[in-house]
Amino acid sequence: MPRVLVSTLLVTVFLAPFANAGRISPIDMQPLIAPGYEAEDRDERGMWQLFDRLEEDIANSNLVVRDPELTAYVGGVMEQLLGEMAADFRVYIVRNPDFNASMAPNGMMLVHTGLLARIKNEAQLAAVLGHEAGHYFRRHSVQRWRSMKTKTAIMSVIALGAAAGSGASGNASNNWYDLANAINAGIMLSIFKYSRSHEQEADAYGLRLLAESGYAPHQAAAVWGQLISERKASAEARDKRYKDRSRSALSTHPPTESRMTDLRLSADDLVDTMLDGNGGSNGVGTWRSGIASIRSSLIEEQIKLNDSGASIHLINSLADGGWSSDLHYFLGEAYSLRGGEGDTELAAEAYASAVQYADPIPEAYRAHGYAEIKAGYKEDGYEALARYLELRPDAPDAAMTRFTIGQ
Ligand SMILES: [Zn+2]
């Protein structure tokens, strides 16, 4: 799957190949845009119009997660982070399992579900939102746009996407989004490989916003740390060596050690200078309740990628904040998918743990039921399957489950 978003001017979190050529101080980062900013000259207005069209397509796409609780929650974090400036942004949660987020010049921000799946607290979400907002406030897109020699090629790609989107097919929005993704991955990387200083600015800007709004600035580096250890676990499970791709200008994913170090050092400074030595708030509880309505679907999306090293690492890492029914259940699913020696037993144990909770995820009863039957405990198995049917009478496999237990 292409990992770089739709548009050539969406600046991704990842385009920071080299980080340590002089750290930018967060204190120096001032906004270049005032609240309510509108594109000024013709050049910039043209660019905005392209993104307005793109946004219309994305807003109508069924790839956008439409969950009122989640939307309200993310909106609240934007307000805490940006104050009145938050009104200039629209944040869309896009279904995509990759860790990514991006910022368009017209105020459209995209956050992937794959990013939310890996975040552990509200300060980490704020770190990502703040980084993307940093690109906006520092006017990175328009600077790139003006320095670009190949605007025609980019405009034709966007136009092609829009044309495909207006086609007759039922889920045309999806098609064109994927198409634009595929086409842009290559073009974008070749054009924007020089974006290091912009990424450094966005990192610094994001940290400043965190500190100003009382969030823990160290959580920005923590996000990268989590990502690096997941990548290592994934590589290890596949017998591949993890590479810190900081030297590759074409890498779409450089969550590098050096970038993490810069973020950590700058956070140290901010804690001393702006927070009087107080580390700031993490917001673990508010994060968990904020994403409660979609958390299971976030984890499920990762499990389905069938990267067992990454999945198992991710679940264990999320369980640092406490185990829960869904985490046990999905751990079982990850073992089942891995299907190695002893994995059936590990999965059965995980499912058994999942149904011990007061309010288990219903699918855990199904998985536990079949595991029990397989292990020879037919009655217990049937009981669990009956419980599953009670909770999910309209499940796609309800008829088959009824047949199994002879109802
Ligand atoms: Zn960025």
Side-chain angles (χ1 to χ4, degrees):
M1 171 162 298
R3 285 170 190 271
V4 177
L5 267 178
V6 163
S7 160
T8 34
L9 289 174
L10 295 173
V11 186
T12 80
V13 180
F14 288 121
L15 297 173
F18 320 94
N20 46 7
R23 190 158 50 91
I24 295 175
S25 163
I27 306 295
D28 296 338
M29 285 291 103
Q30 297 298 330
L32 301 176
I33 280 180
Y37 178 81
E38 293 285 341
E40 276 164 357
D41 59 23
R42 221 180 122 197
D43 202 19
E44 194 180 3
R45 276 203 305 274
M47 181 180 71
W48 274 47
Q49 276 168 13
L50 280 174
F51 282 98
D52 286 345
R53 276 172 64 191
L54 193 65
E55 183 170 352
E56 225 173 277
D57 280 325
I58 287 171
N60 292 315
S61 157
N62 54 18
L63 284 174
V64 170
V65 177
R66 280 167 237 285
D67 180 305
E69 281 171 45
L70 179 70
T71 308
Y73 172 66
V74 174
V77 177
M78 284 292 281
E79 265 169 42
Q80 176 163 348
L81 195 62
L82 301 174
E84 59 169 335
M85 294 275 212
D88 293 347
F89 293 82
R90 280 96 45 216
V91 181
Y92 297 91
I93 309 294
V94 179
R95 278 191 206 289
N96 182 310
D98 292 332
F99 183 100
N100 214 344
S102 45
M103 185 70 234
N106 66 343
M108 167 178 67
M109 193 192 290
L110 306 181
V111 177
H112 285 187
T113 45
L115 189 147
L116 298 182
R118 291 169 169 85
I119 276 184
K120 292 187 176 180
N121 57 49
E122 188 170 306
Q124 293 188 355
L125 174 66
V128 171
L129 299 175
H131 172 99
E132 297 304 327
H135 284 306
Y136 176 85
F137 287 123
R138 298 295 294 175
R139 310 191 71 210
H140 290 160
S141 296
V142 74
Q143 288 171 30
R144 286 179 185 188
W145 183 249
R146 296 214 161 108
S147 67
M148 212 176 282
K149 304 268 189 296
T150 50
K151 283 185 195 131
T152 327
I154 292 154
M155 287 177 74
S156 66
V157 168
I158 296 175
L160 180 62
S166 59
S169 146
N171 56 354
S173 297
N174 271 357
N175 292 343
W176 99 251
Y177 187 87
D178 289 345
L179 174 72
N181 253 327
I183 297 170
N184 269 315
I187 297 180
M188 178 162 178
L189 287 171
S190 61
I191 294 173
F192 286 131
K193 60 186 173 189
Y194 56 84
S195 64
R196 160 183 62 171
S197 63
H198 283 169
E199 290 300 334
Q200 282 180 304
E201 279 199 11
D203 274 348
Y205 203 103
L207 282 178
R208 183 194 168 98
L209 289 172
L210 285 179
E212 280 172 351
S213 53
Y215 286 117
H218 280 103
Q219 290 301 318
V223 175
W224 293 113
Q226 286 159 209
L227 206 58
I228 290 171
S229 35
E230 184 190 320
R231 297 260 152 85
K232 284 180 176 163
S234 167
E236 219 169 273
R238 288 175 286 117
D239 281 333
K240 291 209 169 107
R241 207 142 52 88
Y242 169 80
K243 286 198 192 98
D244 181 335
R245 299 228 210 124
S246 52
R247 315 260 150 220
S248 163
L250 290 180
S251 168
T252 52
H253 291 81
T256 62
E257 306 271 1
S258 56
R259 184 177 187 179
M260 200 167 72
T261 306
D262 282 1
L263 283 167
R264 201 183 300 124
L265 292 172
S266 292
D268 288 345
D269 292 348
L270 287 172
V271 166
D272 289 343
T273 55
M274 288 176 76
L275 293 167
D276 296 328
N278 173 336
S281 82
N282 286 344
V284 177
T286 48
W287 164 249
R288 293 192 86 163
S289 58
I291 60 142
S293 57
I294 64 153
R295 190 173 86 146
S296 289
S297 72
L298 295 177
I299 303 171
E300 187 177 18
E301 188 177 58
Q302 297 302 314
I303 304 287
K304 282 182 175 162
L305 299 176
N306 203 5
D307 178 347
S308 58
S311 302
I312 293 168
H313 176 87
L314 178 65
I315 292 168
N316 281 303
S317 160
L318 292 173
D320 283 350
W323 281 94
S324 55
S325 175
D326 62 342
L327 289 179
H328 283 293
Y329 166 69
F330 286 117
L331 183 63
E333 292 290 275
Y335 286 133
S336 293
L337 265 176
R338 187 170 70 178
E341 204 188 319
D343 280 339
T344 307
E345 292 74 17
L346 286 171
E349 271 171 42
Y351 297 141
S353 302
V355 297
Q356 298 303 314
Y357 286 78
D359 193 11
I361 173 171
E363 284 70 22
Y365 281 114
R366 180 191 55 199
H368 176 58
Y370 284 116
E372 288 286 275
I373 294 169
K374 206 171 169 186
Y377 304 108
K378 205 166 143 187
E379 268 180 38
D380 289 349
Y382 282 12
E383 200 181 302
L385 291 180
R387 187 85 187 98
Y388 168 60
L389 286 170
E390 268 171 52
L391 295 169
R392 283 258 196 279
D394 300 322
D397 60 349
M400 202 185 83
T401 311
R402 278 193 195 96
F403 179 77
T404 303
I405 64 175
Q407 263 187 15

